[in-house]
DNA sequence: CTGAAAGCGCTTACAG
DNA sequence: CTGAAAGCGCTTACAG
């Protein structure tokens, strides 16, 4: 497979390689007649300059890295897969390709090196990170070495590093959910939190607490538990929490996200608790499983597409030298009650 | 961001660039002492050779292209997202990175060029295609130009082109499903077919027909319809088919895949048909929505992971010069009845 | 407006 | 065992 080179095009068009290059790169100092002659041959031959040559003479790769931090497991994959599609799509709309990489964790040196390598080899112009926790040293190192990173769900106050961008989730989701449940008549509300080293889990947790406090609702230890952010640990957390307080059950339970809420569904099913008759359940995210869950899940809608478009666009803006690009953005969401939430038993009409 | 080069490493180690290169590439003619000295500096400095330099001197990119042919829409995305993860994972296990690209269709020249470009620029060593139909000219052109392609769900008898590999779905799924429904007592079975330009849709369709014929079941036009392979067209197809024969309904309906079966669920819901009391429904694939559907969906399990690992591994084998790599593989699946199928009314105990 | 030449960072025959 | 040199395919000052 002998590839065609700029030399071949130059020969066919009767010009020098320099001119071919000028045409390809759309420089202004080429007469229209020459431009057309060269372009016609370029198109006929399906000629696209080798990236390696371009890069070696100083051009970028026009590629974004997409680093998925975590095991490629299914429950996450369900939600994540959309994220992949969306990032690829967002990048494509700015004429960037996406190099995807799954990295089990960043604390092991070999995996951190896997990421460093992709940057160092010059494969990408910037990297998007999904699943990095908020204290990840690599998220310091990379921008400090001059690499642009865009981090999903990562926050630091007044970040001085202009090469580190991020996108964050609505910080009022918990409060809005509690407000709603309170209005329905709920007073005994349980909270199943996620991994608090992730910014959104922390934000949601704090937001739930603010909501509870605002309405003077009791924050009881036995109604607060850890549920991770996938179905399995949430199921275990919910099951343990609920079975430990069967004599004084909460009337509603708020999970860190939809997958976790599915774990709650499962735990409730096993304990014979009907949703929403015996207990209301809330997720957060409005991921692909919420609407088709049985019963349909009350949740808080986050527009994942908007979220990643914000991140990708700001990363590319930075890459292309735009000034004063906002370091982060909080994507506002909206409450979406469905059948999994209802007034608690004592408030219902007989 | 000044990157470190092999020159820097050479200087620090007191050797020439040639030697650094030999060490990096693990050549045998380097004394252990030299090897260790150079490697230590390489590791200290987190040095990874620039890909563009390597490629220009003849090395590959160690990258697989992943082309998703189709709109990045959600219903497909649900199933596809896992495919992305799996391909990336399979490639990673062979030390390849994955460059992902979404291509709306291949019949428009500009989109075909988008694919040609990725190959021509030398970004990838081979391409994996998901969603290409069985008559796609680009699937001729690329291997004829020396590029290796691995195509999901694509088949041609005795393909002479060694650079074109594929992976296919179990061809007996339909027959197995009909066998099962027949054994339950069903005699009036409807079939909702997919887009027959896709190999698996055609195979499944034919397999259903074989099953029907084998058991001498009637193939009535009003019980056969087109349902595409996503939820929306399947819903429309099922709704139209069912509402046109309300006086003589089938007792079971087989969809081309799980998403399509979800469309059938929706149509049944709107027409007041209970699953499985009034009608049994079968999907195919055991994708992420089947188990959590309500009622849980009877389907035919295909191990998507196994499927893509087969494809990716054979593509990389071919790339690395292995001989007699099988051109295609049919991945066997297994029947998985769940609550959406049951004996038809007249066969049930009162 | 355009060509000849330098240079980007590698690898690899080649020579020793 | 190892270094100097050529060459891969581009782009871009530079000179004209």
């Amino acid at each position: 497979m002998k590839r065609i080179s700029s030399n071949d095009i130059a020969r066919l068009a009767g010009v020098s390689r320099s001119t071919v290059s000028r045409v390809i790169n759309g420089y202004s100092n080429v007469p229209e007649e020459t431009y057309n002659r060269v372009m016609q041959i370029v198109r006929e031959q399906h000629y696209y300059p080798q990236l390696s040559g371009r890069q070696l003479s100083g051009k970028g790769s026009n590629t974004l890295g997409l680093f998925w931090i975590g095991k490629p497991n299914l429950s996450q994959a369900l939600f994540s897969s959309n994220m992949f599609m969306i990032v690829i799509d967002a990048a494509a709309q700015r004429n960037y390709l996406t190099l995807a990489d799954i990295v089990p964790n960043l604390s092991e040196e070999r995996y951190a090196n896997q990421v460093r390598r992709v940057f160092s080899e010059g494969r990408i112009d910037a990297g998007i990170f999904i699943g990095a926790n908020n204290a990840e040293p690599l998220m310091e190192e990379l921008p400090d070495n001059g690499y642009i990173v865009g981090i999903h769900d990562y926050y630091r106050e007044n970040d001085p590093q202009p090469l580190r961008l991020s996108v964050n989730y609505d910080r009022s989701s918990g409060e809005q959910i509690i407000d709603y449940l309170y209005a329905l008549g709920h007073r005994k509300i349980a909270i199943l939190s996620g991994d608090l080293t992730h910014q959104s889990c922390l934000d949601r947790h704090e937001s739930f607490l603010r909501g509870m406090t605002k309405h003077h609702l009791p924050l009881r230890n036995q109604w607060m538990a850890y549920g991770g952010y996938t179905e399995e640990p949430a199921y275990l957390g919910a099951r343990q929490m609920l079975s430990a307080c069967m004599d004084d059950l909460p009337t509603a339970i708020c999970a860190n996200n939809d997958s976790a809420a599915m774990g709650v569904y499962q735990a409730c099913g096993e304990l014979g608790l009907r949703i929403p008759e015996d207990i209301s359940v809330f997720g957060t995210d409005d991921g692909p499983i919420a609407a088709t869950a049985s019963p349909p899940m009350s949740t808080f809608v986050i527009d994942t597409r908007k979220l990643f478009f914000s991140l990708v666009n700001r990363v590319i803006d930075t890459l292309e030298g735009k000034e004063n690009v906002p370091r982060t953005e909080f994507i506002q969401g909206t409450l979406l009650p469905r059948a999994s939430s209802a007034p608690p038993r004592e408030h219902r009409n007989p």
Side-chain angles (χ1 to χ4, degrees), chain A:
Chain A
M1 171 201 53
K2 181 71 192 98
R3 279 205 189 88
I4 203 167
S5 78
S6 67
N7 250 325
D8 301 317
I9 302 296
R11 197 168 22 79
L12 289 168
V15 296
S16 71
R17 294 192 295 157
S18 317
T19 300
V20 173
S21 180
R22 288 191 192 97
V23 169
I24 294 273
N25 290 291
Y27 289 177
S28 52
N29 54 353
V30 180
E32 199 178 328
E33 199 267 323
T34 312
Y35 179 90
N36 289 335
R37 184 153 40 96
V38 173
M39 260 330 240
Q40 197 194 333
I41 292 172
V42 163
R43 272 194 280 262
E44 275 171 17
Q45 304 289 327
H46 290 311
Y47 170 68
Y48 299 95
Q50 296 266 107
L51 184 64
S52 44
R54 283 177 72 94
Q55 276 199 264
L56 225 36
S57 55
K59 300 278 191 186
S61 63
N62 270 268
T63 308
L64 248 41
L66 170 52
F67 298 96
W68 173 263
I69 314 303
K71 292 261 170 55
N73 73 48
L74 283 195
S75 50
Q76 272 181 288
L78 246 187
F79 190 49
S80 71
S81 45
N82 281 348
M83 295 186 179
F84 272 77
M85 282 284 200
I86 294 169
V87 169
I88 295 166
D89 198 17
Q93 299 206 7
R94 298 286 298 263
N95 282 312
Y96 279 74
L97 286 164
T98 303
L99 185 75
D101 199 5
I102 298 172
V103 186
N105 66 69
L106 293 177
S107 36
E108 271 180 66
E109 190 67 0
R110 59 173 171 146
Y111 292 130
N113 280 338
Q114 186 179 323
V115 175
R116 290 188 185 103
R117 178 177 172 180
V118 173
F119 278 94
S120 291
E121 290 185 336
R123 291 174 173 273
I124 59 176
D125 295 335
I128 303 289
F129 288 82
I130 302 179
N133 75 50
N134 221 27
E136 183 48 61
L138 204 60
M139 301 299 101
E140 301 274 332
E141 179 192 315
L142 291 171
D144 289 351
N145 285 335
Y147 297 117
I148 298 172
V149 299
I151 320 171
H152 165 255
D153 189 12
Y154 181 97
Y155 182 74
R156 51 174 63 199
E157 200 81 26
N158 299 317
D159 191 353
Q161 173 55 271
L163 303 185
R164 179 169 42 229
L165 306 166
S166 65
V167 71
N168 284 278
Y169 288 79
D170 195 322
R171 279 184 151 164
S172 68
S173 59
E175 222 170 324
Q176 292 190 43
I177 291 169
I178 301 292
D179 283 350
Y180 178 80
L181 288 171
Y182 186 87
L184 284 182
H186 290 274
R187 297 295 178 268
K188 294 156 69 176
I189 303 178
I191 292 167
L192 198 64
S193 299
D195 179 346
L196 303 185
T197 63
H198 287 270
Q199 189 61 37
S200 62
C201 298
L202 180 61
D203 284 344
R204 287 167 191 193
H205 182 76
E206 290 180 347
S207 184
F208 281 128
L209 299 193
R210 274 199 305 280
M212 299 286 275
T213 308
K214 182 168 81 181
H215 295 294
H216 308 293
L217 298 178
L219 291 169
R220 296 210 208 145
N221 278 333
Q222 67 267 38
W223 293 345
M224 318 253 292
Y226 170 80
Y229 43 83
T230 56
E231 189 168 339
E232 181 69 11
Y235 158 70
L236 295 172
R239 195 190 158 89
Q240 191 184 343
M241 173 175 75
L242 292 172
S243 49
C245 61
M246 289 301 276
D247 54 334
D248 189 17
L249 284 170
T251 61
I253 179 164
C254 302
N256 177 69
N257 60 36
D258 293 352
S259 295
M262 284 307 292
V264 176
Y265 273 48
Q266 195 189 337
C268 289
E270 292 187 10
L271 295 170
L273 298 170
R274 292 161 304 162
I275 303 170
E277 292 81 357
D278 301 320
I279 192 163
S280 289
V281 178
F282 246 95
T284 303
D285 283 340
D286 196 33
I289 49 177
T292 58
S294 174
M297 187 188 293
S298 293
T299 186
F300 185 88
V301 188
I302 297 288
D303 185 338
T304 316
R305 206 172 159 78
K306 195 169 164 187
L307 192 131
F308 281 103
F309 270 67
S310 162
L311 184 62
V312 167
N313 279 322
R314 285 181 289 112
V315 162
I316 295 178
D317 285 345
T318 304
L319 195 52
E320 297 183 344
K322 195 166 159 188
E323 308 220 333
N324 298 319
V325 176
R327 301 283 161 77
T328 195
E329 188 180 355
F330 287 86
I331 304 299
Q332 301 304 300
T334 43
L335 193 74
L336 177 56
R338 291 200 186 96
S340 72
S341 56
R345 192 185 306 278
E346 59 269 31
H347 280 248
R348 237 171 283 143
N349 297 329

